[in-house]
């Protein structure tokens, strides 16, 4: 493969689509909202068409000027229309090679190869349109000890697929509902571009619907639309989800329209998180995430290792796919005297919201329902909190809305700390925090209001070389029900 090669011609179209996708919102705003008069709108439409044609011509020229080759264990890419650029990547610097296929690539049976290294953007090392066989050959030649004769696909040790029934459950209970609701709210706020306030007022008068009832109806419609948006978004993202385990890495494949393959090397995994969403926990389901040390564009991410799994299957799942992670640790929980501080953290914010809403709005007193919910959340946070240590592994359990169990190997901890304010010190409590390398600032996990002796004991174990047994006289299983 020492001779320079070009991508498939579809790469030209792919470049155009990527440019449009990256600037989709400004593009839509210019075309749709740029002018309401017919003549002005026509000019904007013609301008948009000319822009697309110019992008297509640019894509064709860029395709002609783009070549790649693999020579002496090094990926060599040359590209650029007016400024000729060379980008060389040595095999030893490569962290991950991901293979994905967008809508355009899938129509022509092609894939994109993304070579990720530490300290540079993956866009510089992306070959966006090649055949499956060519992608496998590139990946094999750039992997450790890869040769032309060894090119090919390594069979996985095991493979796990997300069932269609579980995909539907995952989509129905997705935690992205809040994000979807904010998107719906943003779109709704732009309605005055098309319908004036006077037109809405006259419409309501004709329907003879009270303003309060109309507001409730609008909120209900927004909630339903947000749920549907979250539902379909999750289905599109995780359709056909599979997890394959190989010798030194995990391979995730997912996506309905854009088929993505993510590679997670074992040595890059910094922590495992089991998240039980507030809608999933009553049914005994959880989502498994991994936090990985960063490379390329993402600089560390939290990746969904498996979207939906029964809690009763978690132990076998982790032992099969993450054998280095211990889940049988014992734990201690915050003492009874800590419950007051958990309640303060939830009740005070609720009162800050309830009091002004009750004074300002006619039906604001309805917001009082938040108070018992805040009390319930405070008690749940207290009961779910726990921390443990066993076999060079820390396990921290805590709750915001979702219940999270973080499993961190001792050697992956970047920093550990304890925190306590005056009111905590008065009753011998503190917060225990550990941080791992994930993202620009790292990922932090903490358990609040632990007994001081217990927290200090955990803190000392981060640097200690030996483990002499339990961390407290009274212990319980950190993961009850597993």
């Amino acid at each position: 493969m020492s001779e320079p090669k070009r991508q498939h011609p579809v790469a030209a179209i792919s470049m155009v689509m990527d440019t449009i996708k990256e600037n989709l919102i400004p593009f839509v705003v210019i075309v749709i909202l740029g002018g309401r008069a017919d003549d002005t709108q026509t000019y904007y439409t013609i301008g948009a068409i000319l822009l697309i044609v110019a992008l297509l011509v640019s894509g064709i020229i860029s395709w002609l000027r783009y070549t790649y080759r693999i020579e002496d264990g090094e990926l060599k890419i040359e590209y650029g229309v007016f400024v000729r650029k060379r980008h060389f990547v040595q095999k030893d610097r490569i962290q991950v090679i991901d293979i994905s296929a967008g809508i355009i690539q899938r129509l022509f049976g092609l894939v994109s190869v993304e070579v990720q290294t530490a300290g540079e953007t993956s866009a510089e090392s992306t070959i966006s349109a090649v055949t499956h066989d060519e992608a496998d050959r590139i990946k094999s030649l750039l992997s450790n000890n890869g040769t032309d004769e060894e090119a090919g696909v390594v069979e996985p040790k095991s493979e796990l697929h997300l069932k269609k029934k579980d995909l539907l459950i995952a989509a129905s209970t997705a935690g992205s509902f809040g994000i979807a609701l904010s998107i719906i709210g943003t779109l709704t706020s732009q309605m005055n571009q098309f319908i004036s306030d006077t037109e809405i007022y006259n419409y309501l008068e004709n329907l003879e619907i009270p303003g309060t009832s109309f507001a409730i109806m609008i909120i209900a419609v927004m909630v339903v639309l947000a749920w549907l948006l979250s539902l379909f978004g999750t289905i599109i993202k995780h359709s056909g989800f599979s997890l394959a385990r190989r010798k030194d890495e995990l391979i995730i494949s997912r996506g309905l329209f854009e088929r993505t393959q993510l590679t997670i090397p074992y040595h890059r995994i910094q922590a495992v998180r089991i998240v039980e969403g507030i809608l999933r926990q009553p049914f005994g389901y959880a989502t498994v995430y991994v936090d990985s040390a960063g490379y390329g564009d993402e600089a560390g991410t939290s990746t969904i290792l498996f979207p939906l799994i029964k809690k009763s299957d978690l132990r076998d799942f982790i032992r099969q796919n993450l054998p280095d992670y211990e889940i049988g640790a014992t734990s201690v929980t915050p003492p009874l005297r800590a419950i007051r501080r958990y309640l303060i953290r939830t009740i005070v914010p609720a009162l800050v919201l309830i009091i002004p809403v009750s004074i300002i709005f006619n039906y604001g007193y309805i917001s009082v329902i938040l108070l018992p919910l805040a009390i319930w959340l405070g008690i749940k946070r207290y009961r779910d909190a726990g921390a443990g240590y066993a076999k060079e592994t820390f396990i921290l359990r805590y709750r915001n809305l979702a219940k999270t169990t973080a499993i961190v190997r001792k050697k992956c901890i970047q920093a550990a700390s304890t925190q306590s304010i005056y009111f905590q010190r008065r009753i011998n409590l503190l917060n225990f925090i550990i941080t791992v390398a994930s993202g620009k600032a790292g990922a932090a996990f903490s358990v609040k209001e632990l007994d001081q002796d217990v927290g200090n004991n955990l803190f000392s174990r981060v640097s200690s070389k030996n483990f002499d047994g339990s961390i407290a006289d009274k212990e319980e299983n950190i993961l009850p029900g597993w």
Side-chain angles (χ1 to χ4, degrees), residues 151-173:
V153 180
V154 179
E155 290 297 325
K157 286 187 174 182
S158 63
E159 192 165 359
L160 185 62
H161 296 270
L162 182 67
K163 299 177 182 178
K164 292 182 179 180
K165 179 190 71 173
D166 291 338
L167 174 62
L168 185 59
I169 295 173
S172 303
T173 58

Side-chain angles (χ1 to χ4, degrees), residues 242-306:
S242 67
L243 173 66
R245 178 193 170 196
R246 294 181 183 170
K247 181 180 179 181
D248 300 317
E249 61 191 12
L250 294 169
I251 309 294
I252 295 173
S253 300
R254 57 175 172 80
L256 180 61
F257 299 121
E258 182 174 357
R259 193 68 182 167
T260 302
Q261 184 185 88
L262 303 176
T263 303
I264 305 176
Y266 277 113
H267 71 275
R268 285 277 163 183
I269 297 175
Q270 303 297 299
V272 177
R273 287 187 294 122
I274 297 139
V275 179
E276 301 170 57
I278 198 167
L279 297 178
R280 294 175 180 174
Q281 189 177 355
F283 302 100
Y285 287 101
T287 302
V288 182
Y289 293 80
V290 289
D291 289 273
S292 59
Y295 45 82
D297 297 337
E298 298 179 348
T301 58
S302 292
T303 303
I304 293 179
L305 189 62
F306 210 76

Side-chain angles (χ1 to χ4, degrees), residues 154-197:
V154 179
E155 290 297 325
K157 286 187 174 182
S158 63
E159 192 165 359
L160 185 62
H161 296 270
L162 182 67
K163 299 177 182 178
K164 292 182 179 180
K165 179 190 71 173
D166 291 338
L167 174 62
L168 185 59
I169 295 173
S172 303
T173 58
S176 56
F177 172 81
I179 299 174
L181 187 60
S182 65
I183 294 173
I184 296 294
T186 302
L187 294 176
T188 304
S189 67
Q190 301 300 318
M191 287 295 292
N192 58 0
Q193 295 284 342
F194 305 96
I195 304 175
S196 66
D197 295 338

Side-chain angles (χ1 to χ4, degrees), residues 423-480:
F423 298 103
Q424 288 176 299
R425 291 193 294 271
R426 285 184 59 185
I427 52 177
N428 296 320
L429 298 176
L430 55 72
N431 304 333
F432 175 65
I433 306 105
I434 57 178
T435 303
V436 299
S438 179
K440 294 181 180 179
F445 312 109
S446 66
V447 179
K448 296 179 172 63
E449 315 302 341
L450 288 174
D451 181 85
Q452 274 190 358
D453 292 338
V454 171
N456 289 329
N457 194 331
L458 285 168
F459 178 75
S460 66
R461 294 187 183 279
V462 176
S463 58
S464 65
K465 295 183 179 180
N466 299 313
F467 172 55
D468 58 2
S470 65
I471 60 175
D473 294 334
K474 184 179 179 181
E475 300 174 340
E476 64 173 12
N477 195 317
I478 187 81
L479 305 171

Side-chain angles (χ1 to χ4, degrees), residues 370-383:
L370 294 176
L371 188 57
L373 293 176
I375 295 173
W376 171 83
L377 181 59
I379 294 173
K380 287 292 291 180
R381 286 181 176 178
Y382 166 74
R383 290 180 174 176

Side-chain angles (χ1 to χ4, degrees), residues 108-125:
F108 293 89
L110 304 172
V111 294
S112 173
V113 180
E114 183 178 329
V115 179
Q116 302 198 32
T117 63
E120 68 178 24
T121 61
S122 59
E124 295 176 315
S125 308

